[in-house]
């Protein structure tokens, strides 16, 4: 993808030139413009790749369809025409959902203020409010910067006033989720505004609604993200602690799981959030004490054919296994055999291979007894098969190397069996292919008893060699 940016108007002018100067038909003109700009390294992801609608009779210039709809919505809002506003909200929402470029163009042309006014105008009319909040959610998707403090207050107030209404709660949380993804300031503002108890409260209040539980769990997880590249240090860790310590988040999530034993998508979402909350030793233990580990292991066994679920569960097991006592609980619950099965069953999936090897790696760390179980269950062979299946995936290679090292670092008797599986060649190849694997591969080879050649790199300083 290119790094250069252009304005929508620049693209539209190029299309129009292709039509008027070179007599191309509209579709050909758009294709030619796309090819022209992409060949120059221009990123067109935020550009509407279509011909503007013809100019109207009253002299207005040509506009893209979504801007014409926005104009219609704006007029309905200005005239307080609720029936017309409801109709235009639906049309505008559908257009926004089609692609980010439509939403971006609308956002650049004042869509947020129009939609926010529509939300205010709809106040008290539940059905109209739902439509307005669906639209707000659509325009915020991928554009969290659009939300202002008035919008934050509106969303928080709506969640408080309509806390017993599942549909309104879902609509409000969806907006908050979009507003907080990749936006640290919005996250901090919402947390200060009291969103965490509203989210955990929504899970408890609407524990029978799969959609609300899934969306609220996702929103809680996003509050623990550190994904805003504009902010060097976020509050992800603090937010995770607040969810657990001040809002009983672990118990809320694990209790919610009991109502959805047959719903893998909800359980997967809850698992993903639990893994983000496993930031302290005692939190990991609490997850086990509350029955969270049992539901993870059962979920992995029941949904072994569903790669998305398997990946989330493996990630969660990896996270809670940071606690040494939890490591033993996972092994005693049969977790290692299921992890090996997951890797073998989804050997073509690099993400599952990575997470599976990482989970076994954590379980093996400082635990010779667990290493015995992993070896007996075929864990080392599964890791080497993953390395062989994904030679270009640095994350898989790295986690597998770390697992091999952990298996033999305190149990030298495993070195020969692992070498007989072909470990030396695979690890040496990983070291040669991936610079990021050099340290872990070298450590694994050394602990396996292999001869390790140290690389020497000239640093450019007199008498200085770096290995």
């Amino acid at each position: 993808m290119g790094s250069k940016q252009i304005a929508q108007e620049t693209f539209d002018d190029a299309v129009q030139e292709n039509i008027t100067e070179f007599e191309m038909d509209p579709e050909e003109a758009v294709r030619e413009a796309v090819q022209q700009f992409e060949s120059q390294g221009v990123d067109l992801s935020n550009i509407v790749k279509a011909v503007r609608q013809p100019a109207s009779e009253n002299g207005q210039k040509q506009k893209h369809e979504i801007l014409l709809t926005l104009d219609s919505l704006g007029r309905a809002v200005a005239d307080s025409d609720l029936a017309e506003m409801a109709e235009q909200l639906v049309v505008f929402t559908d257009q926004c959902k089609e692609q980010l470029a439509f939403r971006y163009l609308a956002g650049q042309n004042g869509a947020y203020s129009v939609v926010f006014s529509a939300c205010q105008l709809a106040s008290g009319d539940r059905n109209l409010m739902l439509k307005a909040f669906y639209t707000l959610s659509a325009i915020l998707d991928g554009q969290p910067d659009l939300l202002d403090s008035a919008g934050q207050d509106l969303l928080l107030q709506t969640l408080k006033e309509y806390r017993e209404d599942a549909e309104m709660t879902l609509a409000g949380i969806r907006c908050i989720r979009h507003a907080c993804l990749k936006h640290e300031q919005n996250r901090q503002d919402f947390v200060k505004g009291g969103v965490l108890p509203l989210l955990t409260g929504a899970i408890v209040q609407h524990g029978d609604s799969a959609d609300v539980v899934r969306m609220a769990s996702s929103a809680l997880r996003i509050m623990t993200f550190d994904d805003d590249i504009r902010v060097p240090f976020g509050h992800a860790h603090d937010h995770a602690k607040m969810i657990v310590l001040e809002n009983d988040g672990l118990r809320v999530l694990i209790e919610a799981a009991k109502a959805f034993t047959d719903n893998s998508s909800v359980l997967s979402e809850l698992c993903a959030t639990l893994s983000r909350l496993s930031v302290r030793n005692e939190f990991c233990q609490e997850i086990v004490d509350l029955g969270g580990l049992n539901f993870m292991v059962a979920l992995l066994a029941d949904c072994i054919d569903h790669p998305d679920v398997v990946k989330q569960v493996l990630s969660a097991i990896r996270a809670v296994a940071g606690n040494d006592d939890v490591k033993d609980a996972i092994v005693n619950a049969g977790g290692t055999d299921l992890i090996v099965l997951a890797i073998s069953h989804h050997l073509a999936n690099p993400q599952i291979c990575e997470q599976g090897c990482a989970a076994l790696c954590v379980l093996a760390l400082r635990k010779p007894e667990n290493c015995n179980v992993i070896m007996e269950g075929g864990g080392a062979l599964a890791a080497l098969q993953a390395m062989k299946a994904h030679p270009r995936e640095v994350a898989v290679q790295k986690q597998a190397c770390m697992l091999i090292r952990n298996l033999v670092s305190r149990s030298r008797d495993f070195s020969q069996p692992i070498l007989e599986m072909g470990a030396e060649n695979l690890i040496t190849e990983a070291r040669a292919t991936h610079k990021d694997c050099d340290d872990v591969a070298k450590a694994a080879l050394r602990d396996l008893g292999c001869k390790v050649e140290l690389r020497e790199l000239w640093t450019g300083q007199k008498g200085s060699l770096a290995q």
Side-chain angles (χ1 to χ4, degrees), residues 263-284:
N263 192 323
S264 61
S265 68
V266 173
L267 293 177
S268 175
E269 193 68 56
L270 293 169
C271 242
T273 304
L274 284 172
S275 98
R276 294 292 307 181
L277 299 180
S278 304
V279 295
R280 280 187 174 184
N281 225 31
E282 60 267 32
F283 295 174
C284 297

Side-chain angles (χ1 to χ4, degrees), residues 130-145:
L130 279 173
K131 288 184 173 67
F133 275 81
Y134 289 152
T135 308
L136 181 60
S137 168
I139 198 70
L140 289 175
D141 186 6
Q143 303 188 102
D145 283 326

Side-chain angles (χ1 to χ4, degrees), residues 11-215:
F11 182 85
D12 293 337
D13 289 344
V15 172
Q16 196 58 44
E17 182 182 7
N18 288 341
I19 294 173
T20 56
E21 297 292 328
F22 302 105
E23 299 181 348
M24 296 182 187
D25 63 50
E27 289 186 6
E28 184 185 4
V30 171
R31 281 199 305 272
E32 179 64 27
V34 169
Q35 187 176 1
Q36 173 190 342
F37 285 115
E38 287 184 342
S39 69
Q40 298 170 24
V42 175
D43 176 8
L44 298 177
S45 60
N46 286 340
I47 297 297
V48 175
K49 304 168 193 69
V51 179
R52 290 177 296 197
Q53 297 298 305
S56 61
E57 294 180 3
N58 61 9
Q60 285 186 334
K61 68 176 185 178
Q62 293 177 316
K63 284 190 175 184
H64 286 285
E65 188 174 355
I66 193 160
L67 295 184
L68 294 174
T69 306
L70 179 59
D71 287 345
S72 298
L73 176 59
R75 286 193 295 272
V77 171
D79 296 340
S80 299
D81 186 342
L82 300 187
E84 178 65 14
M85 186 177 88
E87 187 177 323
Q88 293 302 326
L89 282 170
V90 173
V91 176
F92 186 66
T93 301
D94 289 342
Q95 290 175 349
C96 283
K97 286 180 176 179
E98 284 187 39
Q99 53 179 277
L100 174 59
F102 290 173
R103 300 194 291 277
Y104 180 77
L105 181 60
Q108 294 296 301
N109 284 270
Y112 173 74
S113 61
V114 172
V115 175
F116 177 72
S117 297
C119 291
Q120 290 180 309
L121 195 58
S123 180
D125 184 333
R126 178 186 177 277
N127 290 334
L128 192 55
M129 285 181 71
L130 279 173
K131 288 184 173 67
F133 275 81
Y134 289 152
T135 308
L136 181 60
S137 168
I139 198 70
L140 289 175
D141 186 6
Q143 303 188 102
D145 283 326
L146 293 178
L147 189 70
D148 57 14
S149 58
Q152 293 172 359
D153 292 341
L154 175 68
L155 288 169
L156 290 169
Q157 190 59 36
T158 301
L159 284 185
K160 291 173 186 174
E161 290 181 6
Y162 288 85
R163 66 179 71 219
E164 296 181 6
D165 187 322
E167 273 192 288
M168 281 299 300
T169 297
L170 179 62
I173 294 175
R174 187 182 288 114
C175 291
I176 290 171
R177 183 186 179 282
H178 287 320
C180 291
L181 193 60
K182 297 185 178 179
H183 203 296
E184 178 64 21
Q185 192 57 55
N186 281 350
R187 282 194 286 262
Q188 292 184 23
D189 289 343
F190 273 117
V191 170
K192 287 175 185 173
V195 77
L196 297 183
L198 292 172
L199 293 174
T200 53
I203 293 174
V204 174
Q205 177 84 39
H206 304 288
D208 58 345
S209 169
D211 289 337
V212 171
V213 171
R214 185 167 45 231
M215 188 64 66

